[in-house]
Amino acid sequence: MRILIGSLHFYFISFLFSRANGFLTLRTPTAYAFPFYNYSYLNLSSVSEAQAPKLARALNFSHNIIEKITKRDLEGFDALEVLDLSYNQIKDIEPGAFESLLSLVSVNLSFNDKKLLVSSLPPHLKLLPTSKASGSLQLYKYFDKSLEAALEPSASAEELPHSGGPSVLQNVNPRLRRSTGNLLRRAEKNVTVTPTATLRPNFCGAPINGILDLSNSKLSEEELTFKLDPDLCQAQLDGILELNISHSDLEMDLLSLFVLFLPMKNVQSIDASYNKLTINILDVEAICNFPFSKLLFLNISNNPINNLDTLCLPPTIKVIDLSFTNISQIPQNFAKKMLNLENMYVQGNHFIYTVRPEDTNAAPKLPPGTVRINAISFVRNQAGTPIESLPKTVKHLKMSNCSIVELPEWFAGTMKELLFLDLSSNRISVLPDLPTSLQHLDISNSDIKIIPSSFKSFSNLTIFNIQNNKITDMHPEYFPLALTKCDISKNKLSVLSLTDALEKLEFLNVSGNLITRLEPTSHLSALANLDSSHNLISELPDHFGKSLPMLKYFNLSGNKISFLQHGSLPASLIELDISDNAITTIVEDTFGQLTSLSVLTVQGKHFFCNCDLYWFVNAYIHNPRLQINGKGDLRCSFPPDRRGWLVESSNLTLLRCSLGIQMAVTACVAILVVLVLTGLCWRFDGLWYVRMGWYWCMAKRKQYEKRPENKPFDAFISYSEYDANWTKENLLEKLETDGFKICYHERDFKPGHPVLGNIFYCIENSHKVIFVLSPSFVNSCWCQYELYFAEHRVLNENQDSLIMIVLEDLPPNSLPQKFSKLRKLLKRKTYLKWSPEEHKQKMFWHQLAAVLKTTNEPLVRAENGSAQDIYEMK
């Protein structure tokens, strides 16, 4: 602690005199707004050799090889206030060398030759006794006090010779004290153009809940120095636990920045990312010792650090972010400086592989014209790797996008506590040797082609990311048994075999490969998330769902699947993505069993908008517990008249697609038609016509194929049973008495033959057919058949053989519809009417006998004859 402050005391003095003048920290000899010039580390042998400007107010000649100070060296520096001559080899100071420096406030002669004696001091300077404290430490405390108190002369100070150790010359002259106070007041006055430059207590950075957020404030180094001024803000600085100065375009070197942080005793986290911080040029490794005991986190990412060779940071840091800092290597002393580091982030840098330069003297001389190419050599020795050291305590290491080709040989044996390693986006072509303690490995976006069998030795590895490489074959038996999450997407796999070697695997991503079929060969009870999108899979086996009983998230998008059969999807699914496939239908048999499914992503334009899709369109798509993504973009490809239609508007109705409803509707329509037909038949005697046709067909089939040439009967009498007495006692007896041979059904029907057959036989074998018409005839079913058959005979033979006898009056309008033929016959045919009067009966019998004796006339001529002749016997 005392060594560090002793080496940096000159910086603090310069800060106090330059806060209002844009002072920048130590660099190569450069003039600033405040006239301060740095000539340290230049191997100067004398002060005059530097040729410093005479208007300088602060000069730093520390860390040179100056042996003597003369009057001539310091002549003309009338404005000089601070002089640092520490860390030289000064043995002698010419008497009166400091007498001309009337503005001088402090001289640091610490760490020079032990025999150095300071004598003949000017009246305004006195030597600080070394018994109180070291010169450098007291000088720091001197300027840490208020200005007036610091300039008070020490009552116990007295001139003592100093031999070895630090020595400081201090101002004790009251006149010089007033001039120095005026200097600070003038500096304060010169910066009153902005409120942030005033030395007021409310200018201090006040933390809120232990956090001081100065990010995005575009602070200059000067303004930051004011906000962290320990003279005015020590109470606020003690309360800072987290400091954020990121995104402020702050231009400083790291050493100067951490000097400002020294008064913050309790700070735990510092974020200085996205600024313009650089590494300090001075190598202060020998005295790099900070008083911080609680600082754990440091973020200096996105700064132009460039290298870590002279890095000086508190060793208590456990988390450091060096991402995007343009570093090209990790030096050998880095591990010694960061002994407690656990998390390290260095992604986004460019590590350069080189070899140790060859001895030019031993190199053979090549003839003129020879071209020699020195390519980058990727070697494994320590000299050729940009990663020369890492702290053994590191547990979390992120080195993505660093142009790493391979890891050094010592890596696996040294980093025994490493748990997380990110090597993504590098140029690694072979899986490197890694510590067995590793639990998380990310080596994606590289050039690895093979996963070796030795990979199984990483027994603690649970998360493995190797996406976007060139893996062509995956052997599950090479994978660690403890593996729970694996991402092997965007490779060149063509076959994926899921075996029991992956029994603990919970997440698997194989998307973006060339896989044509998923074939689980065993029961994987732990796998819950499977991403197989953007492959060449055309189908899933029907036992796939049973092999993965705990699968909850399944991505099948971007494949060539056209149909998902029953049993191909696990019932445990919660989220399913089948978009961008060739799926034509979604059926209840497959998706109805997915009772736990809450999110379904489906897109495509290959759907068959037929009844197979009815359940999806009318039931599944309206399930309130299911979120279907992309349902508004589903398009029909079949049938052709619906191509391009939205699936939701395909009009798949229940009547059109339900076979049961169709059968029920058909049955109802059939029953209705039957009822209508029955009603019509009942109304228009349809049953009678049906029976008539049936009987006609039956009779026609059983009768003779040829009509008889010689008919045995002169006439066949058709009558109703109610008119049987009159027919038998009058008509039959009279005609047979007159010698006519009559066919009478009670007598001439052949026993054992069908009734219709006998009727048809009698009509066919009789020259004439006599119909005895009365109201009872109209109501007789058999009479209707006989009239129908007789009429049919007339049509077939084209001969008018019908004789109508009206026994009782039949008004034409009273005849039923089925007697339309009889109605027509009565209108166009001559008929005989029976009269109870005896004198009319003689005429009746005479006319009837005459008709029976006549031959049958052709039907056409009969129809052209008189139609309304009525013969009545009076």
Side-chain angles (χ1 to χ4, degrees):
M1 168 67 185
R2 296 177 64 177
I3 296 176
L4 175 64
I5 298 178
S7 64
L8 301 179
H9 72 281
F10 186 77
Y11 302 163
F12 290 116
I13 297 171
S14 302
F15 290 151
L16 291 173
F17 285 101
S18 61
R19 287 171 184 163
N21 295 276
F23 166 67
L24 299 178
T25 55
L26 293 177
R27 297 178 185 268
T28 56
T30 308
Y32 299 92
F34 174 81
F36 158 60
Y37 297 88
N38 180 12
Y39 294 99
S40 61
Y41 293 95
L42 296 179
N43 292 322
L44 299 176
S45 59
S46 67
V47 173
S48 58
E49 183 180 349
Q51 297 181 2
K54 301 300 181 179
L55 297 178
R57 297 171 62 185
L59 290 174
N60 182 6
F61 288 99
S62 65
H63 296 85
N64 283 288
I65 54 175
I66 301 173
E67 296 182 355
K68 185 176 181 179
I69 303 296
T70 65
K71 290 183 178 181
R72 186 177 179 181
D73 290 335
L74 301 177
E75 285 180 354
F77 292 97
D78 297 333
L80 187 63
E81 300 169 0
V82 179
L83 177 62
D84 189 349
L85 295 170
S86 62
Y87 292 94
N88 279 281
Q89 302 174 13
I90 301 175
K91 301 177 182 179
D92 183 27
I93 298 177
E94 184 180 354
F98 300 108
E99 290 181 354
S100 62
L101 304 179
L102 299 178
S103 299
L104 193 63
V105 174
S106 173
V107 177
N108 186 357
L109 289 170
S110 61
F111 301 101
N112 279 283
D113 193 276
K114 295 181 179 180
K115 298 180 181 180
L116 174 63
L117 295 175
V118 181
S119 60
S120 301
L121 293 176
H124 62 277
L125 292 177
K126 282 188 177 182
L127 180 68
L128 179 70
T130 57
S131 59
K132 294 185 67 175
S134 65
S136 59
L137 178 62
Q138 182 61 31
L139 186 61
Y140 173 75
K141 290 183 177 180
Y142 173 83
F143 283 100
D144 193 39
K145 299 176 182 179
S146 64
L147 186 60
E148 294 298 326
L151 295 176
E152 289 295 328
S154 174
S156 61
E158 52 186 86
E159 293 189 20
L160 292 174
H162 177 60
S163 175
S167 64
V168 179
L169 297 176
Q170 296 182 334
N171 181 2
V172 293
N173 187 283
R175 182 179 60 82
L176 182 59
R177 179 171 66 243
R178 289 193 297 271
S179 64
T180 306
N182 293 333
L183 171 65
L184 290 179
R185 283 191 289 273
R186 287 198 305 271
E188 179 181 351
K189 182 178 179 181
N190 290 336
V191 293
T192 55
V193 292
T194 58
T196 58
T198 58
L199 294 175
R200 299 178 182 177
N202 59 0
F203 177 74
C204 301
I208 301 176
N209 296 325
I211 301 175
L212 178 58
D213 189 355
L214 301 177
S215 60
N216 297 287
S217 56
K218 306 300 179 183
L219 287 174
S220 65
E221 178 183 352
E222 174 188 66
E223 293 168 337
L224 181 63
T225 304
F226 279 128
K227 284 188 174 290
L228 303 180
D229 186 356
D231 293 336
L232 302 175
C233 309
Q234 190 60 51
Q236 289 86 346
L237 296 180
D238 290 342
I240 297 177
L241 301 179
E242 297 182 16
L243 174 63
N244 187 355
I245 56 173
S246 62
H247 299 85
S248 296
D249 292 332
L250 184 62
E251 296 187 31
M252 294 183 70
D253 64 70
L254 282 177
L255 185 59
S256 301
L257 180 65
F258 269 84
V259 167
L260 295 181
F261 297 157
L262 288 174
M264 294 187 291
K265 303 175 182 178
N266 300 312
V267 66
Q268 299 177 5
S269 171
I270 297 176
D271 185 353
S273 59
Y274 293 93
N275 285 291
K276 298 178 180 179
L277 303 180
T278 58
I279 193 70
N280 43 282
I281 298 176
L282 304 179
D283 188 1
V284 293
E285 181 178 358
I287 59 171
C288 184
N289 188 7
F290 286 87
F292 297 108
S293 60
K294 298 181 180 180
L295 183 61
L296 302 176
F297 175 88
L298 175 63
N299 183 0
I300 53 175
S301 62
N302 294 277
N303 282 286
I305 303 296
N306 295 329
N307 71 78
L308 303 177
D309 293 334
T310 58
L311 185 68
C312 179
L313 294 175
T316 57
I317 296 176
K318 292 187 176 182
V319 181
I320 187 170
D321 192 342
L322 294 167
S323 306
F324 301 98
T325 53
N326 297 330
I327 60 174
S328 58
Q329 66 172 358
I330 300 177
Q332 192 169 5
N333 59 0
F334 182 79
K336 299 178 181 178
K337 295 178 180 180
M338 311 301 293
L339 296 175
N340 297 305
L341 194 63
E342 295 183 358
N343 292 11
M344 182 175 177
Y345 305 89
V346 291
Q347 66 266 28
N349 291 292
H350 181 65
F351 287 0
I352 300 176
Y353 286 74
T354 58
V355 294
R356 198 184 300 273
E358 299 180 358
D359 186 3
T360 56
N361 296 327
K365 294 184 179 180
L366 300 175
T370 303
V371 178
R372 182 173 181 179
I373 300 176
N374 290 321
I376 295 178
S377 177
F378 303 133
V379 294
R380 298 188 179 184
N381 57 63
Q382 186 174 355
T385 175
I387 308 173
E388 298 182 11
S389 70
L390 286 172
K392 298 179 181 180
T393 55
V394 172
K395 296 180 174 61
H396 189 112
L397 179 59
K398 190 165 185 179
M399 305 175 71
S400 61
N401 193 21
C402 288
S403 303
I404 296 175
V405 175
E406 61 181 4
L407 296 179
E409 288 184 339
W410 52 262
F411 188 85
T414 302
M415 311 301 293
K416 295 182 179 180
E417 298 183 18
L418 189 63
L419 302 177
F420 179 99
L421 177 60
D422 185 355
L423 292 172
S424 61
S425 301
N426 283 291
R427 302 173 183 175
I428 300 174
S429 58
V430 178
L431 195 66
D433 292 335
L434 300 170
T436 57
S437 60
L438 201 61
Q439 297 179 359
H440 184 126
L441 174 60
D442 188 346
I443 198 166
S444 57
N445 301 300
S446 295
D447 296 322
I448 298 176
K449 298 179 180 179
I450 299 174
I451 299 177
S453 58
S454 59
F455 182 59
K456 191 173 184 178
S457 61
F458 303 146
S459 57
N460 294 311
L461 192 65
T462 58
I463 299 177
F464 181 42
N465 187 357
I466 194 171
Q467 68 170 338
N468 198 19
N469 278 268
K470 299 177 181 179
I471 305 295
T472 57
D473 197 4
M474 175 181 172
H475 296 278
E477 61 273 14
Y478 293 171
F479 283 67
L481 296 177
L483 196 64
T484 60
K485 183 177 180 179
C486 179
D487 188 344
I488 195 169
S489 60
K490 297 180 181 179
N491 280 274
K492 296 182 179 181
L493 295 177
S494 58
V495 178
L496 179 63
S497 179
L498 303 175
T499 66
D500 53 3
L502 306 172
E503 59 181 2
K504 294 183 179 181
L505 194 64
E506 299 176 1
F507 175 92
L508 177 61
N509 186 353
V510 292
S511 62
N513 282 279
L514 304 175
I515 300 172
T516 57
R517 184 176 177 85
L518 292 176
E519 190 64 46
T521 58
S522 60
H523 195 75
L524 300 180
S525 58
L527 190 60
N529 193 319
L530 176 59
D531 188 346
S532 58
S533 59
H534 299 92
N535 280 279
L536 303 176
I537 302 171
S538 58
E539 64 175 348
L540 293 180
D542 55 2
H543 64 279
F544 186 83
K546 295 181 180 178
S547 301
L548 305 173
M550 298 303 294
L551 191 63
K552 293 180 173 59
Y553 305 94
F554 193 15
N555 190 348
L556 275 171
S557 62
N559 283 280
K560 298 181 180 299
I561 299 174
S562 60
F563 181 73
L564 292 170
Q565 56 186 325
H566 177 71
S568 60
L569 296 176
S572 58
L573 280 178
I574 296 177
E575 293 187 15
L576 174 63
D577 189 346
I578 55 173
S579 57
D580 298 323
N581 277 274
I583 292 178
T584 58
T585 187
I586 296 178
V587 295
E588 184 178 7
D589 191 35
T590 303
F591 287 82
Q593 63 176 349
L594 306 181
T595 55
S596 301
L597 192 65
S598 59
V599 178
L600 173 63
T601 302
V602 51
Q603 295 177 355
K605 54 183 179 180
H606 304 284
F607 285 90
F608 286 5
C609 293
N610 51 24
C611 290
D612 291 338
L613 204 62
Y614 171 82
W615 174 79
F616 175 74
V617 173
N618 294 279
Y620 202 57
I621 207 171
H622 301 294
N623 187 349
R625 296 179 298 176
L626 179 64
Q627 176 185 341
I628 300 181
N629 300 325
K631 61 183 178 181
D633 296 328
L634 303 180
R635 300 281 178 173
C636 301
S637 64
F638 183 84
D641 59 334
R642 297 185 183 180
R643 184 171 299 165
W645 284 24
L646 289 174
V647 170
E648 286 184 302
S649 59
S650 54
N651 296 326
L652 299 176
T653 61
L654 182 63
L655 178 61
R656 182 176 180 178
C657 297
S658 176
L659 181 60
I661 298 296
Q662 290 179 352
M663 293 179 65
V665 171
T666 302
C668 292
V669 171
I671 293 173
L672 182 61
V673 170
V674 169
L675 291 176
V676 172
L677 292 178
T678 302
L680 292 176
C681 290
W682 183 264
R683 175 67 178 82
F684 299 104
D685 298 308
L687 292 176
W688 182 86
Y689 288 105
V690 173
R691 292 176 60 188
M692 188 75 247
W694 172 253
Y695 290 147
W696 167 256
C697 293
M698 293 296 295
K700 195 70 175 176
R701 183 172 61 86
K702 294 183 179 182
Q703 295 305 314
Y704 303 105
E705 295 182 0
K706 291 185 178 181
R707 296 188 181 90
E709 296 181 359
N710 298 319
K711 297 180 180 181
F713 300 106
D714 293 320
F716 169 69
I717 303 174
S718 175
Y719 62 93
S720 172
E721 290 296 327
Y722 292 99
D723 302 325
N725 292 332
W726 181 87
T727 302
K728 184 177 181 180
E729 295 177 358
N730 292 289
L731 182 59
L732 180 59
E733 184 178 351
K734 175 61 177 173
L735 294 178
E736 289 185 342
T737 301
D738 291 341
F740 295 103
K741 191 174 182 180
I742 304 300
C743 181
Y744 185 63
H745 79 277
E746 290 184 0
R747 181 186 63 197
D748 298 318
F749 277 11
K750 296 179 180 180
H753 287 249
V755 176
L756 289 177
N758 284 317
I759 294 175
F760 194 79
Y761 173 80
C762 293
I763 292 176
E764 289 288 329
N765 288 275
S766 301
H767 290 284
K768 304 287 185 181
V769 179
I770 301 172
F771 291 97
V772 181
L773 303 178
S774 66
S776 58
F777 180 91
V778 174
N779 296 324
S780 173
C781 179
W782 296 109
C783 293
Q784 298 171 18
Y785 297 148
E786 292 166 353
L787 179 62
Y788 181 84
F789 290 154
E791 180 68 11
H792 190 270
R793 173 193 167 182
V794 170
L795 296 175
N796 285 344
E797 296 181 356
N798 196 25
Q799 292 180 351
D800 190 2
S801 59
L802 303 182
I803 301 174
M804 302 294 182
I805 298 175
V806 178
L807 186 62
E808 298 181 15
D809 290 334
L810 288 174
N813 295 333
S814 65
L815 295 177
Q817 184 66 31
K818 59 186 177 182
F819 279 98
S820 58
K821 291 184 178 181
L822 179 59
R823 187 182 297 109
K824 293 179 181 179
L825 289 174
L826 292 177
K827 289 182 178 180
R828 64 179 177 80
K829 189 173 182 63
T830 302
Y831 58 86
L832 300 174
K833 185 176 181 180
W834 172 259
S835 177
E837 298 179 7
E838 186 175 352
H839 65 281
K840 291 183 179 181
Q841 293 177 0
K842 291 181 179 181
M843 182 59 67
F844 171 81
W845 295 117
H846 177 72
Q847 292 292 339
L848 179 58
V851 172
L852 289 174
K853 292 178 181 180
T854 61
T855 59
N856 296 330
E857 296 180 357
L859 181 62
V860 175
R861 191 175 64 183
E863 289 181 351
N864 291 336
S866 62
Q868 298 294 333
D869 296 335
I870 300 177
Y871 298 91
E872 296 184 358
M873 300 290 295
K874 295 185 180 180

